[in-house]
Amino acid sequence: MGSVQRAMRLLECVAEHEYGAPAKQLARETGLALPTAYHLLRTLVHEGYLHRDKGLFFLGEAAVRLSSSGAQQKRRSTVADALAHCRDAIGVPVYYALYREGEIEVMCVSDTPGNPAVEEWADFRETAHAHAIGQCLLSQLDEDARRDHLDRHPVQSITPYTVRDSRTLLRRLDRTRRMETVTERQEYALGTVCAAIPITVGTTAATMAISLPVHQADRLLPAARQLQDEVGRLLGSLAISISI
């Protein structure tokens, strides 16, 4: 354990020196004996956590990967916290999704045992035509992008309420006004109603959505309006998800 602690101190010290530092300086700043510092530095170089150039030590690729992974986890945590806030404020499951590189990506879902999220029994990416999340994201695309998506993921009826064909869906999307809330009732999952709020994160189509049991359908639009009120305060947190 002592060796690990000393090695971590050296890594932290190296990270503070953008232009590198020699072993003697690192030993002095970490309070390590020079032979101990040399031994640990050689080990860290061998493992890829440091690299040495002209007598100076810099962070290596392994350390950079660790840093990148940690930053990514922090970004995910920030998005999850934002959704949990909405979930608790409104009392419904909350979803956040993007349209990226031609596909639907559900980035985060926040629910509770008392208010569970909709089970993804049919792949969300392949059934954008059937759920509010997908319809909301497709409504933000231009016509060519919509048709390209539907060519790759054709419309199929997965419940008795699902839109029957791509022509009908495209007409529905054309009638959807910019930034209008999209709702669907039992089109993806029987017994469930959903609403999705379009949001803009840079040039990326994005949405936040909620779901409710069909017997609570009268709550759907008021809850969606409450979600809209929350969205403006969360855009900064959601924007960072683009880099996840």
Side-chain angles (χ1 to χ4, degrees):
M1 181 63 71
S3 294
V4 172
Q5 291 174 331
R6 289 190 288 270
M8 293 301 295
R9 282 159 54 193
L10 281 170
L11 281 173
E12 292 171 354
C13 191
V14 171
E16 294 173 357
H17 294 279
E18 181 180 356
Y19 302 104
K24 288 184 179 180
Q25 181 179 355
L26 295 170
R28 182 174 65 253
E29 292 181 3
T30 56
L32 297 176
L34 188 57
T36 301
Y38 270 127
H39 171 72
L40 290 173
L41 289 168
R42 283 195 298 268
T43 301
L44 291 168
V45 169
H46 178 75
E47 297 296 331
Y49 291 100
L50 297 178
H51 80 268
R52 186 178 183 181
D53 183 25
K54 299 178 181 178
L56 301 178
F57 290 90
F58 302 83
L59 290 180
E61 291 185 4
V64 172
R65 285 196 300 272
L66 278 177
S67 175
S68 176
S69 176
Q72 185 179 76
Q73 290 180 16
K74 184 175 181 180
R75 291 194 295 270
R76 288 186 184 279
S77 177
T78 300
V79 173
D81 289 346
L83 262 66
H85 167 79
C86 289
R87 176 201 68 203
D88 294 341
I90 307 172
V92 296
V94 181
Y95 311 75
Y96 177 55
L98 306 173
Y99 193 82
R100 184 157 55 181
E101 297 182 358
E103 299 294 347
I104 305 290
E105 290 189 36
V106 178
M107 306 299 294
C108 189
V109 179
S110 187
D111 64 354
T112 64
N115 293 298
V118 177
E119 181 182 355
E120 188 179 351
W121 71 277
D123 192 329
F124 273 9
R125 292 170 299 179
E126 298 177 2
T127 56
H129 62 281
H131 47 73
I133 286 173
Q135 292 176 28
C136 185
L137 292 173
L138 291 177
S139 74
Q140 298 176 61
L141 306 180
D142 60 35
E143 184 177 352
D144 289 342
R146 291 175 190 168
R147 291 184 180 277
D148 172 72
H149 183 92
L150 295 175
D151 285 344
R152 290 181 289 109
H153 302 297
V155 170
Q156 54 182 316
S157 294
I158 58 177
T159 80
Y161 303 94
T162 308
V163 64
R164 295 298 183 216
D165 55 70
S166 60
R167 182 176 301 176
T168 302
L169 176 66
L170 288 169
R171 283 202 301 268
R172 181 193 296 182
L173 295 175
D174 283 339
R175 291 196 299 269
T176 302
R177 296 190 299 273
R178 185 177 183 275
M179 307 312 290
E180 180 180 4
T181 299
V182 175
T183 62
E184 60 91 355
R185 296 171 183 261
Q186 305 190 85
E187 295 181 48
Y188 176 78
L190 292 176
T192 302
V193 296
C194 301
I197 307 298
I199 57 179
T200 301
V201 181
T203 58
T204 300
T207 182
M208 286 184 69
I210 57 175
S211 63
L212 283 165
V214 69
H215 68 271
Q216 297 182 31
D218 59 330
R219 290 185 57 206
L220 186 65
L221 290 180
R225 286 192 290 270
Q226 192 174 352
L227 179 64
Q228 277 184 313
D229 291 340
E230 297 288 344
V231 164
R233 293 191 287 272
L234 298 175
L235 282 180
S237 298
L238 299 176
I240 65 173
S241 67
I242 298 295
S243 59
I244 292 177

